[in-house]
Amino acid sequence: MNTIKIDPVKKIEGTLAVPGDKSISHRAAILGTLAAGETHVANFLTAADCMNTVHACRQLGADIEQAGTSLRIRGCGGLGLKKPSRIIDCGNSGTGVRLLAGVLAGQAFSSVLTGDDQVRRRPMRRIVEPLELMGATIKSRPGYLCPLEIQGRPLHAVHYQVPVASAQVKSCLLLAGLFAEGKTHITLPSLSRDHTERMLAYFGADISRPGNSTPMEAHWAATAKEEVAVQGRTPLQGRKVEVPADISSAAFFMVAAAVLPGSYLRLANVGINPTRTGVVEVLQRMGADIVFGPTRMYSGEPVADIIVKGTRSLRGRPICGEDLIPRLIDELPILAVAAAAAEGETVIEDAAELRVKETDRIGALAEELRKIGIEVEERPDGMVIQGGEIRGGQADSHGDHRLAMSLAIAGLFSEDGVEILHADCVKTSFPGFWECLQSVSA
Ligand code: S3P
């Protein structure tokens, strides 16, 4: 068991380039595999989750060379994917399983997808049912759990209403839709991250947002419900992809700098896709001093430097709403830590999806925050956090990378420091996290 103690610091100072975006890296590896010709990816996230997707893509026939954080992918477009000779193991990555399931459903072979203990507990019915409607046959463990044995078939397009605002489900069906006869229409109850749509458009797919003539960039603000359609059997062409720094990884340091007075932090080249920036909006509402530098585009995704200053103390604010929660779902653990360091009460609602992430992040977070002296009331779809002093002590990550990093940040402004058990799981999404933390701690 790997244990790390984080002691209190006075402030955060410096410039950080956090690693590449996890969601965009998965998609770059997969679309590069499906495309014809070469795809060059810069700033790919070489964390365990995305490397498992790279291994899966190699098993499916892609020729992928890695040099540091650069990938050169020779895609299978035109030639077709290869039947994998072994089970595809996505490790801790629910995104890997769900996105690859969409690809595999339309292939002329059968394959098996699985992952680690946490992934094998995560709900797969949400993808199995619609993929079967499109024509695939999928066997799973009772309760629609991994491993999934996918018998690929010639798929047909469907109109499907996804009951949860899940980007993973939407992306799974868009990828299956690429191999289907006709146009696949997907509706979600509210907006979710749209990296798949952006990258599909960038690779030449015929993807649209029916009923809305506004360009992609403006669409998210124009409607609460989300609709997207993809025309099947349109070839993809390999491209150059530059992956922005991951706003979900940057969020840990944003909170540290916003809470500690006198801090000044520049986070370089961060993806600021509006479907991901809920964390910044909430922190600003809590009183944080956060600004974006000039925006530029990296292969269809907006990017900017983010500057955070520790100028005033934070105040608790409600974090709720179906239009907001999917735009900050992965940042709720670190926002709970921000709430603990703020004045007053913070109520988090409408976040039941947090219970089916790497861990039950409502139960596990409430349990561990209490151990370090934070007053938390657990609710079915969220929690209530009383702000104040954080005493510190020992807490367990439950093997969940985002809990480990959130507890580490809590250690920075605790009285006695926080000792984190099972700390090495940060490698799932953020190799170099501890070094980054040390480099900006003053
Ligand atoms: C992801 C979507 C989110 C998020 C996950 C990554 C993606 O899950 O929690 O870490 O890359 O599409 P859901 O869309 O299932 O909520």
Side-chain angles (χ1 to χ4, degrees):
M1 179 172 60
N2 176 297
T3 302
I4 290 192
K5 169 104 189 279
I6 298 298
D7 289 317
V9 298
K10 286 208 167 60
K11 59 181 175 179
I12 293 293
E13 237 170 25
T15 297
L16 264 188
V18 301
D21 188 277
K22 180 156 77 70
S23 294
I24 297 175
S25 295
H26 281 297
R27 286 152 173 86
I30 293 173
L31 294 199
T33 297
L34 299 181
E38 287 198 1
T39 290
H40 293 259
V41 189
N43 201 35
F44 186 82
L45 175 64
T46 56
D49 266 16
C50 297
M51 289 316 293
N52 280 322
T53 291
V54 167
H55 297 318
C57 291
R58 285 187 177 129
Q59 282 176 265
L60 294 171
D63 172 6
I64 307 182
E65 270 172 32
Q66 184 195 351
T69 59
S70 298
L71 298 185
R72 202 224 50 213
I73 307 172
R74 285 205 188 93
C76 303
L79 300 172
L81 300 183
K82 193 180 95 195
K83 178 177 165 62
S85 53
R86 288 187 311 278
I87 288 177
I88 295 178
D89 186 349
C90 294
N92 193 242
S93 180
T95 309
V97 170
R98 293 191 177 118
L99 269 55
L100 288 167
V103 170
L104 293 171
Q107 306 307 315
F109 52 75
S110 67
S111 51
V112 180
L113 271 175
T114 195
D116 67 9
D117 290 355
Q118 289 181 351
V119 158
R120 277 186 272 116
R121 282 195 289 269
R122 296 185 68 178
M124 295 296 157
R125 183 177 186 160
R126 50 184 65 192
I127 57 162
V128 169
E129 285 188 341
L131 290 176
E132 290 204 318
L133 277 179
M134 293 176 82
T137 307
I138 304 182
K139 281 194 210 141
S140 58
R141 264 195 311 134
Y144 295 90
L145 300 175
C146 275
L148 304 179
E149 190 187 324
I150 302 177
Q151 176 57 62
R153 307 249 186 232
L155 303 181
H156 49 265
V158 290
H159 280 61
Y160 190 77
Q161 228 166 336
V162 183
V164 280
S166 163
Q168 293 181 356
V169 178
K170 174 179 64 177
S171 303
C172 167
L173 301 182
L174 286 173
L175 291 168
L178 284 181
F179 296 94
E181 173 87 57
K183 198 170 202 171
T184 298
H185 290 253
I186 305 156
T187 312
L188 279 88
S190 58
L191 287 162
S192 62
R193 66 190 68 192
D194 65 359
H195 305 302
T196 306
E197 295 90 306
R198 286 173 188 255
M199 204 181 288
L200 278 173
Y202 185 67
F203 275 68
D206 178 357
I207 180 144
S208 55
R209 302 190 132 149
N212 198 307
S213 55
T214 50
M216 284 222 179
E217 200 59 38
H219 173 85
W220 72 276
T223 174
K225 203 174 73 167
E226 189 178 19
E227 264 184 80
V228 60
V230 68
Q231 177 65 48
R233 309 200 176 155
T234 313
L236 303 182
Q237 185 57 47
R239 297 293 307 261
K240 278 203 166 109
V241 177
E242 176 138 22
V243 181
D246 196 327
I247 192 166
S248 298
S249 299
F252 299 105
F253 297 97
M254 280 182 217
V255 168
V259 168
L260 289 165
S263 294
Y264 180 94
L265 177 68
R266 176 181 285 270
L267 292 151
N269 305 326
V270 182
I272 54 159
N273 179 320
T275 60
R276 297 284 298 281
T277 47
V279 62
V280 175
E281 289 157 35
V282 167
L283 286 171
Q284 286 169 334
R285 257 182 253 155
M286 292 173 81
D289 184 347
I290 305 184
V291 292
F292 290 170
T295 304
R296 46 205 179 266
M297 294 303 280
Y298 278 16
S299 21
E301 291 280 350
V303 172
D305 285 7
I306 299 181
I307 296 110
V308 190
K309 295 184 203 158
T311 44
R312 41 187 181 258
S313 44
L314 303 186
R315 293 176 308 278
R317 285 281 176 269
I319 306 176
C320 57
E322 282 176 8
D323 50 343
L324 175 69
I325 295 295
R327 297 177 48 239
L328 49 64
I329 189 77
D330 291 340
E331 289 70 70
L332 284 168
I334 188 59
L335 282 171
V337 169
E343 287 164 21
E345 184 178 272
T346 295
V347 182
I348 301 175
E349 282 175 332
D350 307 317
E353 272 293 300
L354 260 195
R355 293 207 182 264
V356 291
K357 293 296 175 188
E358 283 79 338
T359 57
D360 166 2
R361 282 189 178 153
I362 296 180
L365 190 61
E367 183 184 338
E368 301 308 317
L369 293 181
R370 279 190 209 113
K371 285 186 193 161
I372 57 171
I374 300 166
E375 206 185 314
V376 188
E377 181 204 324
E378 186 179 334
R379 294 202 176 154
D381 68 339
M383 56 184 79
V384 183
I385 300 150
Q386 303 300 333
E389 302 288 295
I390 301 177
R391 186 192 63 233
Q394 193 182 65
D396 193 330
S397 74
H398 296 231
D400 182 328
H401 54 127
R402 299 208 194 277
L403 293 200
M405 294 185 273
S406 301
L407 292 166
I409 299 300
L412 298 178
F413 28 85
S414 64
E415 287 162 42
D416 304 335
V418 171
E419 190 175 44
I420 303 127
L421 307 179
H422 301 107
D424 58 348
C425 57
V426 304
K427 66 179 185 297
T428 298
S429 66
F430 197 158
F433 172 76
W434 306 110
E435 292 77 6
C436 281
L437 189 56
Q438 200 170 18
S439 76
V440 293
S441 294

